[in-house]
Short mmCIF file of all heavy atoms in Angstrom, two decimals:
data_model
loop_
_atom_site.label_atom_id
_atom_site.label_comp_id
_atom_site.label_asym_id
_atom_site.label_seq_id
_atom_site.Cartn_x
_atom_site.Cartn_y
_atom_site.Cartn_z
N VAL A 215 -17.52 143.64 250.05
CA VAL A 215 -17.47 142.35 250.75
C VAL A 215 -16.82 142.59 252.05
O VAL A 215 -17.25 142.01 253.04
CB VAL A 215 -16.47 141.40 249.84
CG1 VAL A 215 -16.19 140.15 250.77
CG2 VAL A 215 -17.29 140.94 248.60
N ALA A 216 -15.82 143.50 252.17
CA ALA A 216 -15.29 143.78 253.44
C ALA A 216 -16.31 144.27 254.45
O ALA A 216 -16.38 143.95 255.58
CB ALA A 216 -14.04 144.76 253.33
N PHE A 217 -17.04 145.31 253.93
CA PHE A 217 -18.09 145.85 254.74
C PHE A 217 -19.07 144.89 255.22
O PHE A 217 -19.48 144.79 256.39
CB PHE A 217 -18.80 147.06 254.04
CG PHE A 217 -19.78 147.83 254.88
CD1 PHE A 217 -19.34 148.84 255.68
CD2 PHE A 217 -21.09 147.48 254.83
CE1 PHE A 217 -20.31 149.54 256.47
CE2 PHE A 217 -22.09 148.08 255.61
CZ PHE A 217 -21.62 149.23 256.34
N LEU A 218 -19.63 144.13 254.26
CA LEU A 218 -20.73 143.16 254.70
C LEU A 218 -20.16 141.94 255.43
O LEU A 218 -20.85 141.66 256.45
CB LEU A 218 -21.29 142.48 253.30
CG LEU A 218 -22.03 143.50 252.40
CD1 LEU A 218 -22.48 142.84 251.02
CD2 LEU A 218 -23.34 144.10 253.25
N SER A 219 -18.90 141.53 255.26
CA SER A 219 -18.35 140.54 256.14
C SER A 219 -18.18 141.06 257.53
O SER A 219 -18.38 140.29 258.49
CB SER A 219 -17.02 140.17 255.60
OG SER A 219 -17.26 139.58 254.36
N SER A 220 -17.78 142.35 257.69
CA SER A 220 -17.53 142.83 258.94
C SER A 220 -18.83 142.98 259.80
O SER A 220 -18.88 142.83 261.08
CB SER A 220 -16.83 144.22 258.88
OG SER A 220 -15.62 144.21 258.23
N TRP A 221 -19.88 143.27 259.23
CA TRP A 221 -21.14 143.65 259.86
C TRP A 221 -22.07 142.41 260.02
O TRP A 221 -23.01 142.45 260.77
CB TRP A 221 -21.95 144.75 259.18
CG TRP A 221 -21.43 146.10 259.55
CD1 TRP A 221 -20.47 146.76 258.86
CD2 TRP A 221 -21.71 147.00 260.63
NE1 TRP A 221 -20.25 147.98 259.43
CE2 TRP A 221 -20.95 148.10 260.60
CE3 TRP A 221 -22.69 146.72 261.70
CZ2 TRP A 221 -21.05 149.15 261.48
CZ3 TRP A 221 -22.62 147.69 262.68
CH2 TRP A 221 -21.96 148.90 262.57
N THR A 222 -21.93 141.39 259.12
CA THR A 222 -22.72 140.21 259.26
C THR A 222 -22.81 139.62 260.62
O THR A 222 -23.83 139.27 261.09
CB THR A 222 -22.34 139.11 258.15
OG1 THR A 222 -22.59 139.83 256.81
CG2 THR A 222 -23.23 137.96 258.25
N PRO A 223 -21.61 139.25 261.25
CA PRO A 223 -21.66 138.64 262.66
C PRO A 223 -22.44 139.43 263.61
O PRO A 223 -23.20 139.04 264.38
CB PRO A 223 -20.22 138.46 263.07
CG PRO A 223 -19.45 138.46 261.76
CD PRO A 223 -20.22 139.38 260.72
N TYR A 224 -22.27 140.86 263.60
CA TYR A 224 -22.97 141.75 264.48
C TYR A 224 -24.47 141.71 264.12
O TYR A 224 -25.30 141.68 265.01
CB TYR A 224 -22.46 143.09 264.30
CG TYR A 224 -23.12 144.12 265.21
CD1 TYR A 224 -22.87 144.16 266.56
CD2 TYR A 224 -24.21 145.04 264.73
CE1 TYR A 224 -23.43 145.11 267.37
CE2 TYR A 224 -24.82 145.97 265.45
CZ TYR A 224 -24.49 145.94 266.81
OH TYR A 224 -25.09 146.78 267.68
N ALA A 225 -24.86 141.79 262.78
CA ALA A 225 -26.31 141.69 262.41
C ALA A 225 -26.96 140.25 263.04
O ALA A 225 -28.09 140.27 263.50
CB ALA A 225 -26.61 141.78 260.97
N ALA A 226 -26.15 139.19 262.85
CA ALA A 226 -26.74 137.98 263.36
C ALA A 226 -26.85 137.95 264.90
O ALA A 226 -27.95 137.33 265.35
CB ALA A 226 -25.67 136.83 262.92
N ALA A 227 -25.88 138.52 265.56
CA ALA A 227 -26.00 138.42 267.11
C ALA A 227 -27.17 139.43 267.48
O ALA A 227 -27.86 139.01 268.45
CB ALA A 227 -24.67 138.99 267.68
N SER A 228 -27.30 140.52 266.77
CA SER A 228 -28.38 141.44 267.03
C SER A 228 -29.77 140.75 266.82
O SER A 228 -30.69 140.91 267.62
CB SER A 228 -28.15 142.74 266.30
OG SER A 228 -27.05 143.37 266.68
N PHE A 229 -29.89 140.13 265.62
CA PHE A 229 -31.18 139.54 265.27
C PHE A 229 -31.45 138.32 266.28
O PHE A 229 -32.59 138.22 266.63
CB PHE A 229 -31.10 138.98 263.81
CG PHE A 229 -32.32 138.95 263.21
CD1 PHE A 229 -33.07 140.14 262.84
CD2 PHE A 229 -32.99 137.84 262.84
CE1 PHE A 229 -34.26 140.07 262.07
CE2 PHE A 229 -34.16 137.76 262.20
CZ PHE A 229 -34.78 138.93 261.90
N TRP A 230 -30.51 137.70 266.76
CA TRP A 230 -30.70 136.63 267.81
C TRP A 230 -31.35 137.25 269.01
O TRP A 230 -32.28 136.63 269.66
CB TRP A 230 -29.39 135.99 268.08
CG TRP A 230 -29.53 134.94 269.24
CD1 TRP A 230 -29.24 135.38 270.62
CD2 TRP A 230 -29.94 133.60 269.18
NE1 TRP A 230 -29.45 134.14 271.38
CE2 TRP A 230 -29.84 133.21 270.68
CE3 TRP A 230 -30.13 132.70 268.21
CZ2 TRP A 230 -30.16 131.87 270.92
CZ3 TRP A 230 -30.47 131.41 268.61
CH2 TRP A 230 -30.37 130.98 269.94
N SER A 231 -30.90 138.36 269.48
CA SER A 231 -31.36 139.03 270.63
C SER A 231 -32.74 139.59 270.57
O SER A 231 -33.44 139.80 271.58
CB SER A 231 -30.32 140.17 271.15
OG SER A 231 -30.28 141.22 270.17
N ILE A 232 -33.26 139.72 269.31
CA ILE A 232 -34.65 140.14 269.15
C ILE A 232 -35.53 139.14 269.69
O ILE A 232 -36.50 139.41 270.43
CB ILE A 232 -34.96 140.44 267.71
CG1 ILE A 232 -34.00 141.58 267.21
CG2 ILE A 232 -36.38 140.73 267.47
CD1 ILE A 232 -34.26 141.81 265.72
N PHE A 233 -35.28 137.82 269.46
CA PHE A 233 -36.21 136.72 269.69
C PHE A 233 -35.81 135.91 271.03
O PHE A 233 -36.51 135.05 271.47
CB PHE A 233 -36.21 135.70 268.60
CG PHE A 233 -36.78 136.37 267.27
CD1 PHE A 233 -35.74 136.72 266.28
CD2 PHE A 233 -38.03 136.60 267.07
CE1 PHE A 233 -36.12 137.25 265.19
CE2 PHE A 233 -38.43 137.22 265.85
CZ PHE A 233 -37.48 137.56 264.79
N ASN A 234 -34.58 136.27 271.62
CA ASN A 234 -34.13 135.53 272.70
C ASN A 234 -33.66 136.51 273.70
O ASN A 234 -33.32 137.66 273.44
CB ASN A 234 -32.97 134.53 272.38
CG ASN A 234 -33.51 133.61 271.38
OD1 ASN A 234 -33.99 132.52 271.70
ND2 ASN A 234 -33.10 133.93 270.09
N SER A 235 -33.60 136.21 275.03
CA SER A 235 -32.99 137.07 276.03
C SER A 235 -31.58 137.32 275.75
O SER A 235 -30.78 136.42 275.28
CB SER A 235 -33.19 136.44 277.39
OG SER A 235 -32.56 137.17 278.43
N SER A 236 -31.08 138.63 276.17
CA SER A 236 -29.69 138.93 275.88
C SER A 236 -28.71 138.17 276.88
O SER A 236 -27.63 137.96 276.59
CB SER A 236 -29.43 140.38 276.11
OG SER A 236 -29.95 140.77 277.45
N ASP A 237 -29.32 137.55 277.96
CA ASP A 237 -28.58 136.83 278.83
C ASP A 237 -28.16 135.41 278.26
O ASP A 237 -27.33 134.73 278.75
CB ASP A 237 -29.31 136.52 280.14
CG ASP A 237 -29.55 137.88 280.87
OD1 ASP A 237 -28.83 138.86 280.70
OD2 ASP A 237 -30.59 137.97 281.58
N SER A 238 -28.82 135.05 277.19
CA SER A 238 -28.54 133.84 276.50
C SER A 238 -27.26 133.70 275.74
O SER A 238 -26.73 132.66 275.48
CB SER A 238 -29.76 133.37 275.52
OG SER A 238 -29.79 134.36 274.36
N LEU A 239 -26.62 134.95 275.57
CA LEU A 239 -25.31 135.04 274.92
C LEU A 239 -24.34 135.59 275.96
O LEU A 239 -24.67 136.59 276.59
CB LEU A 239 -25.44 136.02 273.71
CG LEU A 239 -26.26 135.53 272.42
CD1 LEU A 239 -26.39 136.62 271.38
CD2 LEU A 239 -25.77 134.33 271.91
N GLN A 240 -23.24 134.91 275.90
CA GLN A 240 -22.06 135.43 276.83
C GLN A 240 -21.63 136.79 276.31
O GLN A 240 -21.66 137.07 275.18
CB GLN A 240 -20.98 134.48 276.83
CG GLN A 240 -21.23 133.12 277.33
CD GLN A 240 -21.53 133.18 278.77
OE1 GLN A 240 -20.90 133.95 279.55
NE2 GLN A 240 -22.40 132.34 279.28
N PRO A 241 -21.14 137.72 277.28
CA PRO A 241 -20.72 138.99 276.84
C PRO A 241 -19.70 139.04 275.73
O PRO A 241 -19.76 139.90 274.79
CB PRO A 241 -20.12 139.62 278.15
CG PRO A 241 -20.88 138.92 279.21
CD PRO A 241 -21.14 137.53 278.71
N VAL A 242 -18.74 138.00 275.78
CA VAL A 242 -17.82 138.10 274.67
C VAL A 242 -18.39 137.79 273.30
O VAL A 242 -17.76 138.24 272.31
CB VAL A 242 -16.60 136.97 275.10
CG1 VAL A 242 -17.28 135.53 274.94
CG2 VAL A 242 -15.46 137.21 274.16
N VAL A 243 -19.53 137.01 273.39
CA VAL A 243 -20.08 136.70 272.07
C VAL A 243 -20.73 137.88 271.35
O VAL A 243 -20.87 138.00 270.26
CB VAL A 243 -21.11 135.65 272.30
CG1 VAL A 243 -21.94 135.17 270.97
CG2 VAL A 243 -20.56 134.29 272.86
N THR A 244 -21.20 138.79 272.29
CA THR A 244 -21.69 140.06 271.70
C THR A 244 -20.63 141.10 271.55
O THR A 244 -20.86 142.06 270.65
CB THR A 244 -22.78 140.52 272.58
OG1 THR A 244 -22.28 140.83 273.99
CG2 THR A 244 -23.96 139.70 272.76
N LEU A 245 -19.57 141.08 272.23
CA LEU A 245 -18.50 142.03 272.17
C LEU A 245 -17.70 141.85 270.82
O LEU A 245 -17.41 142.71 270.10
CB LEU A 245 -17.55 141.92 273.25
CG LEU A 245 -16.43 142.86 273.34
CD1 LEU A 245 -16.72 144.28 273.16
CD2 LEU A 245 -15.43 142.58 274.51
N LEU A 246 -17.31 140.65 270.51
CA LEU A 246 -16.49 140.49 269.42
C LEU A 246 -17.05 140.83 268.01
O LEU A 246 -16.46 141.49 267.29
CB LEU A 246 -16.02 139.00 269.34
CG LEU A 246 -15.05 138.52 270.54
CD1 LEU A 246 -14.68 137.10 270.29
CD2 LEU A 246 -13.74 139.37 270.49
N PRO A 247 -18.39 140.51 267.80
CA PRO A 247 -18.93 140.93 266.51
C PRO A 247 -19.04 142.53 266.48
O PRO A 247 -18.91 143.18 265.40
CB PRO A 247 -20.33 140.28 266.63
CG PRO A 247 -20.27 139.18 267.49
CD PRO A 247 -19.19 139.55 268.53
N CYS A 248 -19.26 143.06 267.69
CA CYS A 248 -19.29 144.64 267.62
C CYS A 248 -17.88 145.20 267.27
O CYS A 248 -17.91 146.12 266.53
CB CYS A 248 -19.63 145.07 269.11
SG CYS A 248 -19.91 146.81 269.15
N LEU A 249 -16.86 144.68 267.85
CA LEU A 249 -15.53 145.21 267.51
C LEU A 249 -15.26 144.87 266.08
O LEU A 249 -14.72 145.72 265.33
CB LEU A 249 -14.51 144.45 268.40
CG LEU A 249 -14.61 144.77 269.89
CD1 LEU A 249 -13.48 144.09 270.73
CD2 LEU A 249 -14.36 146.31 270.11
N PHE A 250 -15.65 143.67 265.58
CA PHE A 250 -15.31 143.44 264.14
C PHE A 250 -16.02 144.37 263.23
O PHE A 250 -15.56 144.76 262.29
CB PHE A 250 -15.74 141.82 263.92
CG PHE A 250 -15.21 141.39 262.60
CD1 PHE A 250 -13.95 141.51 262.22
CD2 PHE A 250 -16.02 140.70 261.81
CE1 PHE A 250 -13.60 141.08 260.93
CE2 PHE A 250 -15.57 140.10 260.56
CZ PHE A 250 -14.38 140.26 260.14
N ALA A 251 -17.31 144.65 263.58
CA ALA A 251 -18.08 145.50 262.72
C ALA A 251 -17.48 146.95 262.68
O ALA A 251 -17.32 147.59 261.61
CB ALA A 251 -19.54 145.66 263.32
N LYS A 252 -16.80 147.46 263.84
CA LYS A 252 -16.28 148.72 263.84
C LYS A 252 -15.05 148.77 263.06
O LYS A 252 -14.54 149.78 262.58
CB LYS A 252 -16.14 149.14 265.28
CG LYS A 252 -17.35 149.57 266.01
CD LYS A 252 -17.14 149.97 267.51
CE LYS A 252 -18.38 150.59 268.16
NZ LYS A 252 -19.48 149.54 268.25
N SER A 253 -14.36 147.73 263.02
CA SER A 253 -13.10 147.45 262.17
C SER A 253 -13.27 147.80 260.73
O SER A 253 -12.39 148.03 259.93
CB SER A 253 -12.52 146.20 262.36
OG SER A 253 -13.14 145.10 261.68
N SER A 254 -14.55 147.69 260.24
CA SER A 254 -14.87 147.88 258.78
C SER A 254 -14.42 149.36 258.22
O SER A 254 -14.18 149.55 257.13
CB SER A 254 -16.36 147.78 258.46
OG SER A 254 -17.03 148.74 259.19
N THR A 255 -14.30 150.29 259.24
CA THR A 255 -13.85 151.67 258.92
C THR A 255 -12.47 151.72 258.38
O THR A 255 -11.97 152.72 257.88
CB THR A 255 -14.21 152.60 259.86
OG1 THR A 255 -13.47 152.24 261.05
CG2 THR A 255 -15.70 152.77 260.22
N ALA A 256 -11.67 150.72 258.75
CA ALA A 256 -10.21 150.82 258.46
C ALA A 256 -9.75 150.12 257.25
O ALA A 256 -8.59 150.31 256.76
CB ALA A 256 -9.42 150.20 259.71
N TYR A 257 -10.58 149.31 256.60
CA TYR A 257 -10.14 148.37 255.46
C TYR A 257 -9.98 149.14 254.12
O TYR A 257 -9.06 148.83 253.36
CB TYR A 257 -11.20 147.29 255.29
CG TYR A 257 -11.40 146.31 256.48
CD1 TYR A 257 -12.52 145.72 256.72
CD2 TYR A 257 -10.31 146.13 257.32
CE1 TYR A 257 -12.77 144.86 257.74
CE2 TYR A 257 -10.58 145.27 258.44
CZ TYR A 257 -11.69 144.61 258.59
OH TYR A 257 -11.90 143.76 259.65
N ASN A 258 -10.89 150.09 253.83
CA ASN A 258 -10.95 150.76 252.55
C ASN A 258 -9.75 151.34 252.05
O ASN A 258 -9.32 151.10 250.88
CB ASN A 258 -12.19 151.71 252.41
CG ASN A 258 -13.56 151.03 252.57
OD1 ASN A 258 -13.62 149.80 252.44
ND2 ASN A 258 -14.47 151.85 252.95
N PRO A 259 -9.00 152.10 252.90
CA PRO A 259 -7.74 152.75 252.38
C PRO A 259 -6.71 151.76 252.02
O PRO A 259 -6.01 151.94 250.97
CB PRO A 259 -7.25 153.48 253.60
CG PRO A 259 -8.44 153.82 254.45
CD PRO A 259 -9.37 152.64 254.21
N PHE A 260 -6.61 150.55 252.58
CA PHE A 260 -5.71 149.41 252.22
C PHE A 260 -6.12 149.01 250.81
O PHE A 260 -5.23 148.55 249.96
CB PHE A 260 -5.77 148.39 253.21
CG PHE A 260 -5.14 148.89 254.49
CD1 PHE A 260 -5.98 149.19 255.60
CD2 PHE A 260 -3.77 148.96 254.67
CE1 PHE A 260 -5.38 149.59 256.80
CE2 PHE A 260 -3.18 149.30 255.86
CZ PHE A 260 -3.98 149.63 256.96
N ILE A 261 -7.42 148.85 250.55
CA ILE A 261 -7.90 148.32 249.30
C ILE A 261 -7.67 149.33 248.18
O ILE A 261 -7.13 148.93 247.09
CB ILE A 261 -9.46 148.00 249.38
CG1 ILE A 261 -9.81 146.97 250.40
CG2 ILE A 261 -10.02 147.54 247.94
CD1 ILE A 261 -11.15 146.68 250.64
N TYR A 262 -7.86 150.62 248.54
CA TYR A 262 -7.49 151.62 247.51
C TYR A 262 -6.00 151.68 247.11
O TYR A 262 -5.51 151.79 246.08
CB TYR A 262 -7.76 153.11 248.06
CG TYR A 262 -9.30 153.23 248.39
CD1 TYR A 262 -9.71 154.05 249.44
CD2 TYR A 262 -10.23 152.72 247.69
CE1 TYR A 262 -10.99 154.33 249.64
CE2 TYR A 262 -11.62 152.86 248.04
CZ TYR A 262 -11.92 153.65 249.00
OH TYR A 262 -13.25 153.90 249.31
N TYR A 263 -5.17 151.43 248.15
CA TYR A 263 -3.77 151.35 247.97
C TYR A 263 -3.25 150.36 247.03
O TYR A 263 -2.37 150.52 246.23
CB TYR A 263 -2.96 151.30 249.32
CG TYR A 263 -1.44 151.56 249.18
CD1 TYR A 263 -1.00 152.84 249.29
CD2 TYR A 263 -0.59 150.47 249.01
CE1 TYR A 263 0.41 153.07 249.20
CE2 TYR A 263 0.75 150.69 248.95
CZ TYR A 263 1.24 152.06 249.01
OH TYR A 263 2.61 152.16 248.90
N VAL A 264 -3.93 149.21 247.22
CA VAL A 264 -3.53 148.03 246.35
C VAL A 264 -4.00 148.22 244.88
O VAL A 264 -3.27 147.94 243.94
CB VAL A 264 -4.15 146.68 246.88
CG1 VAL A 264 -3.87 145.55 245.95
CG2 VAL A 264 -3.51 146.37 248.31
N PHE A 265 -5.19 148.76 244.74
CA PHE A 265 -5.79 148.80 243.45
C PHE A 265 -5.76 150.17 242.64
O PHE A 265 -5.92 150.09 241.46
CB PHE A 265 -7.40 148.36 243.47
CG PHE A 265 -7.48 146.88 243.76
CD1 PHE A 265 -7.61 146.38 245.07
CD2 PHE A 265 -7.57 145.99 242.72
CE1 PHE A 265 -7.79 145.13 245.36
CE2 PHE A 265 -7.59 144.63 243.00
CZ PHE A 265 -7.83 144.19 244.30
N SER A 266 -5.49 151.19 243.38
CA SER A 266 -5.54 152.52 242.76
C SER A 266 -4.16 153.05 242.61
O SER A 266 -3.44 153.44 243.52
CB SER A 266 -6.44 153.51 243.62
OG SER A 266 -6.33 154.80 243.10
N LYS A 267 -3.72 153.25 241.42
CA LYS A 267 -2.35 153.81 241.13
C LYS A 267 -2.30 155.26 241.52
O LYS A 267 -1.31 155.66 242.21
CB LYS A 267 -2.11 153.78 239.62
CG LYS A 267 -0.65 154.06 239.26
CD LYS A 267 -0.49 153.81 237.70
CE LYS A 267 1.04 154.12 237.29
NZ LYS A 267 1.15 153.90 235.90
N THR A 268 -3.40 156.05 241.43
CA THR A 268 -3.47 157.48 241.87
C THR A 268 -3.15 157.49 243.45
O THR A 268 -2.39 158.33 243.91
CB THR A 268 -4.76 158.02 241.61
OG1 THR A 268 -4.96 158.00 240.12
CG2 THR A 268 -4.93 159.42 242.14
N PHE A 269 -3.95 156.66 244.18
CA PHE A 269 -3.85 156.59 245.60
C PHE A 269 -2.39 156.29 246.05
O PHE A 269 -1.95 157.00 247.02
CB PHE A 269 -4.87 155.77 246.20
CG PHE A 269 -4.90 155.90 247.71
CD1 PHE A 269 -5.33 157.08 248.30
CD2 PHE A 269 -4.81 154.80 248.56
CE1 PHE A 269 -5.39 157.29 249.68
CE2 PHE A 269 -4.89 154.96 249.95
CZ PHE A 269 -5.24 156.23 250.47
N ARG A 270 -1.85 155.27 245.43
CA ARG A 270 -0.50 154.97 245.75
C ARG A 270 0.47 156.06 245.54
O ARG A 270 1.45 156.44 246.35
CB ARG A 270 -0.10 153.66 244.97
CG ARG A 270 -0.57 152.46 245.39
CD ARG A 270 0.22 151.23 244.90
NE ARG A 270 0.36 151.30 243.41
CZ ARG A 270 -0.56 150.59 242.63
NH1 ARG A 270 -1.52 150.15 243.09
NH2 ARG A 270 -0.32 150.72 241.34
N CYS A 271 0.36 156.81 244.44
CA CYS A 271 1.32 157.89 244.16
C CYS A 271 1.08 158.90 245.09
O CYS A 271 2.06 159.63 245.60
CB CYS A 271 1.05 158.33 242.61
SG CYS A 271 1.48 157.23 241.40
N GLU A 272 -0.15 159.30 245.45
CA GLU A 272 -0.38 160.43 246.43
C GLU A 272 0.13 160.14 247.79
O GLU A 272 0.66 160.93 248.51
CB GLU A 272 -1.88 160.77 246.43
CG GLU A 272 -2.45 161.38 245.12
CD GLU A 272 -1.78 162.64 244.75
OE1 GLU A 272 -1.27 163.43 245.66
OE2 GLU A 272 -1.76 162.95 243.56
N VAL A 273 -0.13 158.83 248.21
CA VAL A 273 0.39 158.45 249.49
C VAL A 273 1.88 158.51 249.65
O VAL A 273 2.41 158.97 250.75
CB VAL A 273 -0.09 157.00 249.88
CG1 VAL A 273 0.58 156.55 251.12
CG2 VAL A 273 -1.61 157.01 250.14
N ARG A 274 2.55 158.15 248.62
CA ARG A 274 4.05 158.32 248.55
C ARG A 274 4.49 159.66 248.57
O ARG A 274 5.64 159.98 249.00
CB ARG A 274 4.59 157.58 247.29
CG ARG A 274 4.48 156.10 247.33
CD ARG A 274 4.70 155.50 246.02
NE ARG A 274 4.44 153.99 246.17
CZ ARG A 274 4.30 153.23 245.02
NH1 ARG A 274 4.39 153.82 243.79
NH2 ARG A 274 4.08 151.90 245.18
N LYS A 275 3.66 160.60 248.27
CA LYS A 275 4.00 161.97 248.40
C LYS A 275 3.75 162.60 249.68
O LYS A 275 4.16 163.84 250.04
CB LYS A 275 3.26 162.92 247.23
CG LYS A 275 3.58 162.50 245.81
CD LYS A 275 2.71 163.31 244.83
CE LYS A 275 2.99 162.68 243.49
NZ LYS A 275 2.06 163.44 242.44
N LEU A 276 3.05 161.92 250.52
CA LEU A 276 2.70 162.33 251.85
C LEU A 276 3.69 161.76 252.83
O LEU A 276 3.79 160.49 253.03
CB LEU A 276 1.33 161.92 252.28
CG LEU A 276 0.16 162.58 251.33
CD1 LEU A 276 -1.25 161.91 251.77
CD2 LEU A 276 0.08 164.07 251.62
N GLN A 277 4.37 162.54 253.58
CA GLN A 277 5.24 162.11 254.61
C GLN A 277 4.91 162.75 255.87
O GLN A 277 4.96 164.03 256.02
CB GLN A 277 6.80 162.48 254.31
CG GLN A 277 7.46 161.43 253.30
CD GLN A 277 9.02 161.59 253.57
OE1 GLN A 277 9.41 162.56 253.99
NE2 GLN A 277 9.65 160.48 253.12
N CYS A 278 4.48 161.90 256.81
CA CYS A 278 4.07 162.39 258.21
C CYS A 278 5.35 162.39 259.00
O CYS A 278 5.98 161.42 259.22
CB CYS A 278 3.04 161.55 258.73
SG CYS A 278 1.48 161.53 257.80
N CYS A 279 5.49 163.70 259.48
CA CYS A 279 6.59 163.74 260.50
C CYS A 279 6.18 164.77 261.59
O CYS A 279 5.54 165.68 261.30
CB CYS A 279 7.92 164.23 259.84
SG CYS A 279 7.76 165.77 258.95
N CYS A 280 6.62 164.44 262.73
CA CYS A 280 6.29 165.31 263.94
C CYS A 280 4.67 165.32 264.09
O CYS A 280 4.06 166.55 264.08
CB CYS A 280 6.84 166.72 263.86
SG CYS A 280 8.66 166.70 263.86
N GLY A 281 4.09 164.34 264.18
CA GLY A 281 2.59 164.27 264.40
C GLY A 281 1.94 164.40 263.07
O GLY A 281 1.95 163.51 262.18
#
Side-chain angles (χ1 to χ4, degrees):
V215 167
F217 183 86
L218 294 176
S219 299
S220 299
W221 281 93
T222 296
Y224 180 76
S228 300
F229 208 69
W230 170 272
S231 64
I232 297 175
F233 303 99
N234 302 273
S235 172
S236 58
D237 297 333
S238 61
L239 294 176
Q240 295 294 324
V242 69
V243 177
T244 57
L245 173 61
L246 292 179
C248 183
L249 295 178
F250 191 46
K252 288 180 172 62
S253 72
S254 65
T255 57
Y257 300 150
N258 294 341
F260 294 99
I261 298 175
Y262 300 148
Y263 189 85
V264 172
F265 288 92
S266 172
K267 189 175 182 180
T268 295
F269 190 57
R270 285 199 303 273
C271 292
E272 294 297 336
V273 167
R274 288 166 185 166
K275 295 174 186 177
L276 294 173
Q277 277 204 338
C278 296
C279 56
C280 299

